Amino acid sequence: MKPLKITLKTPIEEIQGLGSAVRIYIKRDDLNGLLISGNKARKLEYLVADAKSKECDTLITCGGAQSNHCRITAAFAQRFGFECHLFLRVHGKPPKISTANLLIDKLFGAKVNYITPTQYKHRDTIMEAYAKKLQKKGKKPYLIPEGGSNEIGILGYRDCMKEMKTFIKREKIEAVYCAVGSGGTYAGLLLGKKLYNLKVDLNGVLVCDTIEFFTEKILRICRKSIDTFNMKITVSEGDINFIDGYIGAGYAIPYPAELKTIIRVAKLGIILEPVYTGKSFYGMLNHVKKKKYKKVIFIHTGGIFSIFAFAKELTPVITTIKG
Ligand SMILES: Cc1ncc(COP(=O)(O)O)c(C=O)c1O
């Protein structure tokens, strides 16, 4: 399957100055575009290509109110002439003022439907019923699951592993780390690891849900992708390494050690955010010490705009950190 290629190939840079005994490289997927940027862009290049090939005219997807995935879907829709309809989960009343990713969704003309956390549990059924209504009005909707994490979207991260494979072999990288939010990034990297026969540990830091939940989900999506695209590989539970213990009080709820990590890393020129990359980078820093690796890669999956939704949490911590 051929993706729409609009993102840039991303560099791998070493981050120095963290005082870590391990050499940490960052795959800068945050730099693959700006509004169309981060891990979701790689997935949407495949999903939107599929939508175009099926002659659809409307993209429907879902996420949290500050979803990066929804913002990037809105940007793709604008760029490729689709309507975009979003189902955004909000706790309590919908926000009166749109900020950060939500503001961008609206600037790109996405139609926003707010749903409660309970409704969000039934998001696929809700989106399917909505798509049927649009069909009756003559539209051709294309449904994208949460995070773009299905057998098609994950091909974007198979490609990311392909981009990294020479570097991994040449530099003898021992582990690749990423955040696990809807599981697609990890699933695609796992396909790539298997297809290119790479001897690296693939370590996913959970930012929500449980090890059991993601093990089942990732194996299911990988196997569907393997069948659909006729790949000559298999995946099993033994291929999966998850790191738990860095979610804190819950999804998108930051905690002090994480915020301090974000600020330390920002002083070295790289912006992480509190929902995914902050928690996973912090988790990685602790995990590499236990594993005694010498060289690892962290996938920077983007999400820069979401920091603007966390000014209240970040500002007081910035003032406490010297230097
Ligand atoms: C910036 C960012 N990083 C990481 C993730 C997690 O990736 P995945 O959903 O593929 O597990 C997401 C979305 O969920 C994200 O927006």
Side-chain angles (χ1 to χ4, degrees):
M1 176 172 195
K2 237 177 138 7
L4 295 165
K5 209 53 209 149
I6 57 168
T7 57
L8 307 168
K9 243 185 163 185
T10 56
I12 301 176
E13 296 169 354
E14 185 171 0
I15 183 164
Q16 286 171 333
L18 285 170
S20 166
V22 185
R23 292 181 72 175
I24 298 173
Y25 295 88
I26 304 192
K27 173 71 169 160
R28 298 292 310 271
D29 271 14
D30 55 321
L31 299 182
N32 61 1
L34 184 60
L35 291 160
I36 297 184
S37 70
N39 63 342
K40 302 306 185 236
R42 284 192 187 262
K43 300 179 191 180
L44 282 159
E45 285 178 328
Y46 278 96
L47 291 161
V48 178
D50 191 41
K52 269 168 89 80
S53 77
K54 292 182 170 133
E55 297 182 351
C56 295
D57 56 19
T58 304
L59 304 178
I60 305 177
T61 196
C62 61
Q66 280 299 333
S67 164
N68 297 304
H69 162 67
C70 289
R71 179 249 310 163
I72 302 169
T73 306
F76 267 84
Q78 193 279 331
R79 173 87 173 251
F80 293 102
F82 289 81
E83 269 186 31
C84 179
H85 296 243
L86 303 174
F87 283 84
L88 300 184
R89 181 186 56 223
V90 281
H91 298 264
K93 287 194 186 136
K96 284 204 185 109
I97 294 179
S98 305
T99 57
N101 282 317
L102 179 58
L103 181 63
I104 298 173
D105 299 341
K106 297 212 173 156
L107 285 170
F108 280 136
K111 175 162 177 7
V112 172
N113 303 283
Y114 293 108
I115 56 174
T116 64
T118 312
Q119 288 172 316
Y120 196 80
K121 290 191 183 130
H122 309 287
R123 56 191 174 271
D124 292 336
T125 321
I126 290 176
M127 290 197 293
E128 274 160 30
Y130 186 86
K132 283 204 179 110
K133 278 194 196 156
L134 289 183
Q135 267 165 353
K136 282 192 188 142
K137 292 183 186 163
K139 291 275 166 205
K140 285 198 78 177
Y142 184 86
L143 282 178
I144 300 174
E146 180 186 59
S149 292
N150 65 8
E151 71 281 7
I152 296 173
I154 68 172
L155 297 176
Y157 271 86
R158 172 204 59 183
D159 296 355
C160 177
M161 204 50 131
K162 189 174 182 192
E163 251 176 62
M164 297 191 296
K165 75 180 196 306
T166 308
F167 186 89
I168 289 175
K169 286 185 183 162
R170 192 185 65 224
E171 296 298 324
K172 300 190 174 53
I173 299 294
E174 294 152 288
V176 172
Y177 286 83
C178 69
V180 179
S182 66
T185 302
Y186 189 96
L189 290 169
L190 177 55
L191 291 183
K193 170 181 151 150
K194 287 291 184 119
L195 283 165
Y196 310 119
N197 202 16
L198 298 170
K199 307 276 174 263
V200 279
D201 291 346
L202 188 53
N203 296 330
V205 183
L206 303 195
V207 301
C208 57
D209 292 300
T210 61
I211 290 184
E212 295 69 35
F213 172 82
F214 278 119
T215 304
E216 187 281 326
K217 181 172 182 186
I218 285 170
L219 289 177
R220 178 165 38 81
I221 309 175
C222 281
R223 284 173 182 151
K224 189 149 182 210
S225 197
I226 289 169
D227 284 352
T228 310
F229 300 104
N230 205 13
M231 298 174 198
K232 306 277 174 269
I233 50 169
T234 55
V235 288
S236 68
E237 210 172 321
D239 293 318
I240 292 185
N241 300 325
F242 286 141
I243 301 165
D244 203 359
Y246 296 94
I247 298 172
Y251 172 73
I253 305 177
Y255 47 87
E258 179 208 3
L259 294 171
K260 282 183 190 152
T261 304
I262 292 175
I263 292 159
R264 275 175 73 202
V265 174
K267 288 188 192 297
L268 302 172
I270 290 177
I271 301 290
L272 304 174
E273 45 66 51
V275 185
Y276 302 98
T277 51
K279 287 182 183 177
S280 49
F281 199 92
Y282 175 59
M284 174 190 70
L285 287 181
N286 289 331
H287 191 255
V288 289
K289 284 185 211 149
K290 287 184 220 149
K291 295 292 284 189
K292 301 203 168 61
Y293 291 128
K294 291 187 193 70
K295 287 185 183 179
V296 302
I297 295 178
F298 175 79
I299 314 273
H300 192 323
T301 40
I304 186 157
F305 299 106
S306 98
I307 58 161
F308 301 113
F310 288 94
K312 203 165 69 156
E313 290 81 357
L314 276 164
T315 308
V317 188
I318 293 171
T319 53
T320 63
I321 296 199
K322 304 263 182 308

